[in-house]
Amino acid sequence: MTEANVVPRGFRNNNPLNLRKSSNPWLGKIQNGTDPDFEQFVSIELGLRAAFINARTIMRRCTNPTVQKLINTWAPPSENNTMAYVHRVCESAKLVPTEPICFKKKAQMCAIFYAMVIVENGRALPKETIEKAYSLV
């Protein structure tokens, strides 16, 4: 099997932003899923919906949310090359790492998530899928 034929873990789990397992009763969460570390969802849209809600929570907890602050929490430096992640997302979303972001700006959030999906999985999802998930929040 070639690398191009391998479905990324985040896509297999319908959890493209790789939310870690938690006690949170996410809508569409598969109880007793087979992945030992990450949540699994019944659809990709519900997995993204959970991620949007998680991002909104992170953004509400910090003063002046930015891509840098969001991703520093999402993908902490103890586990990731966070600065590379931030720069890839900002380049794709046409943002500056320290530029303020707002959850209510649908186009901005969907651009950020589009780029985050690529960083997390090595490939994109259709922008329409991300926009549909945002509308479920």
Side-chain angles (χ1 to χ4, degrees), residues 8 17 36 41 50 55-56 59 61 70 82 88 93 103 109 111-112 114 117 119 133:
L17 289 181
F41 293 90
R56 182 178 63 192
M59 292 169 69
R61 289 180 179 162
L70 174 64
T82 305
R88 288 180 66 195
F103 189 82
M109 289 306 301
I112 291 167
Y114 180 82
V117 167
V119 172

Side-chain angles (χ1 to χ4, degrees), residues 2-137:
T2 66
E3 187 175 316
N5 293 331
V6 176
V7 177
R9 185 181 197 178
F11 289 8
R12 289 192 312 268
N13 288 340
N14 286 325
N15 178 9
L17 289 181
N18 292 314
L19 292 173
R20 294 231 176 240
K21 277 197 170 179
S22 72
S23 60
N24 197 315
W26 299 114
L27 181 64
K29 175 179 177 172
I30 296 173
Q31 297 299 324
N32 303 315
T34 56
D35 191 302
D37 300 311
F38 296 98
E39 298 283 18
Q40 293 175 291
F41 293 90
V42 298
S43 73
I44 203 100
E45 291 84 4
L46 290 178
L48 283 166
R49 176 189 177 274
F52 273 121
I53 292 169
N54 194 53
R56 182 178 63 192
T57 300
I58 292 168
M59 292 169 69
R60 284 179 175 166
R61 289 180 179 162
C62 66
T63 306
N64 302 318
T66 65
V67 172
Q68 187 169 345
K69 289 178 182 178
L70 174 64
I71 293 175
N72 197 56
T73 301
W74 199 279
S78 60
E79 300 175 14
N80 302 278
N81 183 344
T82 305
M83 288 313 299
Y85 195 145
V86 168
H87 289 295
R88 288 180 66 195
V89 169
C90 285
E91 183 178 351
S92 175
K94 298 180 178 26
L95 295 167
V96 174
T98 56
E99 176 181 344
I101 58 175
C102 176
F103 189 82
K104 292 180 181 180
K105 293 182 178 180
K106 178 182 178 180
Q108 183 183 65
M109 289 306 301
C110 288
I112 291 167
F113 267 47
Y114 180 82
M116 288 176 70
V117 167
I118 294 170
V119 172
E120 293 281 344
N121 298 280
R123 59 178 87 159
L125 283 173
K127 290 180 181 181
E128 297 79 20
T129 301
I130 295 167
E131 291 168 0
K132 180 179 179 186
Y134 180 89
S135 71
L136 296 173
V137 175

